[in-house]
């Protein structure tokens, strides 16, 4: 007998003996009802969502969904030098739906060694197809597909470095929601703030400590200096969504404390509202608790680091598609979606924030109102003001609010470690 026949005969004998002498608990026949109660897990599974059970907008267009998923965790560490999708095409020439330089995906770490030695974890990755008229073979049409995972845990970085020049995201079509984020803002010093810059008249009132002497004054002749100030900055949680975005508008608030004022002023005053007297001299004091509504026009090239613990998907659709479980509609073309809110961390600007003329023009009337309601103290016989000293003291403005527009803030927290060994910024 040949070796091949011997192996086959031995196998058949073993199967025969196994079936003859096996214990009842090893092999057991089950009825259909008993078999239906048995649970197991497959590596791959295919599910179908009928249009009637999809989003209402999809149901009205008779679009159903086929989803092929993997019941597993997949680890991935990847660097992509240039990611360009949807350039030209249905969304117009001269641009791309997605255009990102130096994209890296790794485990969560702030060191080179930690990033290179770790991987992002994709839980239950899947591919999904949107099919129009799924129950009609003659009119069935694929409207889009989506590559996704139920959750991605890792660090996504974009660009070469966190610098004062935008890099990384050039164009983005997609959806992302950011959480509330806080930081500290430091305002830059200003000098030579005057009427010619602002066109704002300073109004106020001066009085003696006894209250017997008082004078209203106005001034269009002043030159003020603002020292550095600091305060809290909060960027409100909000949704970023759109096609081919390069800039986004972020809304927030700030509270600026203790901006010291100095400089000089010449004013026309009327003693007891009747007798004109000239006043001029040095100004001292500080503005505190200034509330600010902040609008930041931020180039997406200043967003570099996104810690992920979210459902994440990349899709292409022939028309707008509301995918199962998505937070919003994916627009036509390529679309990148991060479904759960993302924490962008501390939003402290790397550079000092400039206090523009637009902001100061809003502050001057507030100071005037305060000085009219809280006259400057000029000593027993008002001699200090007559001698040329305007001591404003503290000017608290917590009950007032101004608007400030900022642009392209470089954020300290967006600095990241490259996903490379050695000194390379990208590999």
């Amino acid at each position: 007998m040949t070796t091949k026949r011997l192996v086959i005969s031995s196998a058949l004998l073993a199967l025969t003996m196994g079936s003859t002498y096996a214990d009842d608990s090893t092999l057991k026949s089950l009825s259909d009802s008993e078999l239906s109660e048995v649970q197991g897990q497959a590596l791959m599974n295919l599910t179908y969502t009928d249009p009637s059970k999809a989003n209402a907008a999809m149901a009205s267009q008779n679009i159903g969904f086929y989803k092929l998923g993997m019941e597993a965790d997949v680890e991935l560490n990847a660097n992509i030098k240039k990611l360009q999708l949807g350039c030209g095409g249905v969304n117009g020439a001269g641009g791309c739906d997605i255009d990102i330089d130096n994209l890296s995906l790794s485990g969560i770490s702030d060191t080179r060694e930690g990033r290179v030695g770790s991987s992002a974890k994709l839980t239950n990755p899947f591919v999904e197809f949107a099919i129009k008229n799924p129950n009609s073979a003659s009119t069935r049409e694929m409207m889009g597909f989506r590559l996704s995972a139920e959750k991605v845990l890792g660090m996504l970085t974009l660009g070469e470095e966190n610098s004062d020049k935008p890099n990384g995201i050039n164009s983005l079509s997609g959806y992302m929601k950011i959480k509330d984020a806080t930081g500290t803002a430091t305002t830059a010093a200003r000098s030579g703030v005057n009427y010619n810059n602002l066109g704002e008249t300073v109004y106020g009132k001066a009085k003696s400590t006894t209250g017997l002497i008082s004078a209203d004054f106005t001034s269009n002749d002043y030159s003020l200096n603002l020292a550095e100030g600091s305060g809290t900055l909060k960027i409100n949680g909000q949704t970023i969504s759109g096609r081919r975005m390069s800039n986004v508008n972020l809304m927030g608030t700030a509270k600026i404390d203790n901006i010291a004022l100095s400089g000089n002023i010449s004013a026309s005053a009327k003693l007891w509202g009747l007798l004109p007297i000239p006043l001029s001299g040095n100004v001292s004091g500080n503005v505190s608790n200034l509330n600010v509504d902040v609008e930041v026009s931020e180039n997406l090239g200043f967003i570099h680091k996104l810690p992920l613990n979210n459902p994440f998907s990349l899709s292409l659709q022939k028309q707008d598609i509301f995918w199962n479980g998505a937070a919003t509609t994916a627009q036509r073309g390529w679309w990148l979606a991060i479904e759960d809110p993302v924490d962008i961390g501390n939003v402290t600007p790397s550079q000092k924030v400039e206090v523009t003329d637009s902001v100061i023009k809003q502050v001057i009337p507030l100071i005037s109102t305060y000085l009219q309601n809280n006259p400057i103290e000029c000593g027993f016989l008002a001699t200090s003001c007559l001698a040329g000293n305007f001591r404003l003291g503290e000017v608290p403005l917590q009950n007032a609010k101004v608007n400030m527009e900022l642009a392209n803030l470089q954020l300290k927290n967006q600095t990241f470690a490259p996903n490379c060994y050695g000194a390379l910024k990208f590999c």
Side-chain angles (χ1 to χ4, degrees), residues 97-98 100 146 156 169 171-179 237-245 248 300 306 308 310-315 317 321-323 325-331 333-342:
D97 295 344
I98 295 175
I100 301 174
R146 176 169 70 144
L156 179 67
I169 300 177
S171 176
L172 179 67
S173 299
Y175 168 90
M176 178 175 66
K177 189 173 183 179
I178 62 173
K179 296 180 179 179
Q238 55 207 279
T239 297
I240 298 171
S241 181
R243 181 187 292 144
R244 295 190 176 184
M245 299 178 292
V248 295
L300 288 175
L306 297 174
L308 301 176
N310 320 75
F312 183 94
S313 68
L314 178 65
S315 62
Q317 38 278 320
I321 296 290
F322 202 115
W323 295 96
T328 190
T329 300
Q331 297 181 25
W334 286 94
W335 187 263
L336 187 150
I338 303 174
E339 300 296 343
D340 292 341
V342 173

Side-chain angles (χ1 to χ4, degrees), residues 168-331:
I169 300 177
N170 303 309
S171 176
L172 179 67
S173 299
Y175 168 90
M176 178 175 66
K177 189 173 183 179
I178 62 173
K179 296 180 179 179
D180 287 350
T182 59
T184 301
T186 301
T187 60
R190 284 283 310 270
S191 60
V193 175
N194 55 59
Y195 179 82
N196 292 334
N197 298 137
L198 308 178
E200 290 288 342
T201 300
V202 175
Y203 299 91
K205 184 176 291 187
K207 70 173 185 176
S208 64
T209 53
T210 61
L212 297 176
I213 301 174
S214 66
D216 295 309
F217 67 84
T218 62
S219 174
N220 290 335
D221 184 5
Y222 54 85
S223 180
L224 303 177
N225 306 313
L226 283 68
E228 290 184 5
S230 64
T232 58
L233 173 65
K234 176 185 176 185
I235 298 297
N236 300 331
Q238 55 207 279
T239 297
I240 298 171
S241 181
R243 181 187 292 144
R244 295 190 176 184
M245 299 178 292
S246 58
N247 280 72
V248 295
N249 291 323
L250 304 176
M251 307 302 297
T253 58
K255 177 172 283 189
I256 307 300
D257 289 325
N258 299 322
I259 299 178
L261 295 175
S262 62
N264 54 76
I265 187 171
S266 295
S268 300
K270 288 188 177 182
L271 192 63
W272 296 300
L274 299 172
L275 182 64
I277 56 172
L279 295 176
S280 64
N282 298 322
V283 175
S284 62
N286 67 85
V287 174
S288 65
N289 298 324
L290 178 62
N291 293 301
V292 184
D293 281 335
V294 179
E295 181 176 346
V296 184
S297 177
E298 188 78 343
N299 189 303
L300 288 175
F302 289 101
I303 303 298
H304 299 291
K305 183 172 70 172
L306 297 174
L308 301 176
N309 190 11
N310 320 75
F312 183 94
S313 68
L314 178 65
S315 62
L316 172 64
Q317 38 278 320
K318 186 177 180 180
Q319 64 167 65
D320 292 357
I321 296 290
F322 202 115
W323 295 96
N324 288 326
T328 190
T329 300
Q331 297 181 25

Side-chain angles (χ1 to χ4, degrees), residues 11 20 28 31 74 85 134 174 196 208-209 221 234 241-242 259 283 343 357 386 391 395 420 422:
T20 303
K28 185 177 181 180
S31 65
V74 176
L85 299 169
N196 292 334
S208 64
T209 53
D221 184 5
K234 176 185 176 185
S241 181
I259 299 178
V283 175
D343 185 0
D357 287 349
L386 293 173
R391 299 186 180 92
V395 183
C420 301

Side-chain angles (χ1 to χ4, degrees), residues 34 47 99 110 190 231 241 268 295 337 353 358 387 404 407:
E34 291 173 324
T47 59
D99 185 355
D110 290 323
R190 284 283 310 270
S241 181
S268 300
E295 181 176 346
V353 175
S358 173
M404 177 182 287

